[in-house]
Every structure is written in C-alpha cells, then in structure tokens.
Amino acid sequence: MSNPLRPAPEPVQLDTRVITRVGTALFALAAVVIALVPSLRDQSDGLWLWTAIAGAVLGVLGQAVMAWQKAP
C-alpha cells in the first residue's frame, strides 16, 4: 500500500501589522464599552475592564516592537 505524500503547500504571507491593529482596536473598543456600561463595569470588581485595557496596551506595545524591528 503505497500512499505518496503530497507536496507541502506554499506558506501564506500575512501582514501581522493589520492583525495586531485590528486586535488592539477591538480591545480598546471593549474597554470603552465596558467603561460606559455600569452593569459591565461593576461585575467582578472591574476585572473585565482591566483585561480590555491591558489587551489594548499590549497591542500598542506589540506594534511598537514590530515597527522597531523593521526599522532600517
């Protein structure tokens, strides 16, 4: 029983800057929504709000690192 392997597909080229920008924007939007809706903000001692803020901050830092790595 011969089962020949197919060749590996070509790698997909993705622009990670777009992915991190979208993720950062979604975290920032979530932080704004949670901050403006009292029932969301008061749940679990603000854990969701701080999680969204941390996600947005880490996204900005990630974008800065990627820009620094690509700098000439």
Side-chain angles (χ1 to χ4, degrees):
M1 289 200 321
S2 176
N3 189 6
L5 296 176
R6 291 184 283 178
E10 292 295 319
V12 177
Q13 298 295 323
L14 297 174
D15 189 4
T16 54
R17 291 176 294 175
V18 172
I19 295 170
T20 57
R21 286 178 185 154
V22 170
T24 302
L26 289 175
F27 269 115
L29 177 65
V32 169
V33 169
I34 292 168
L36 293 177
V37 178
S39 63
L40 294 175
R41 187 178 58 238
D42 297 337
Q43 283 183 335
S44 68
D45 297 329
L47 179 66
W48 289 108
L49 177 60
W50 286 110
T51 301
I53 291 170
V57 169
L58 288 174
V60 169
L61 289 174
Q63 291 174 19
V65 167
M66 287 190 299
W68 174 63
Q69 288 176 342
K70 293 198 182 241

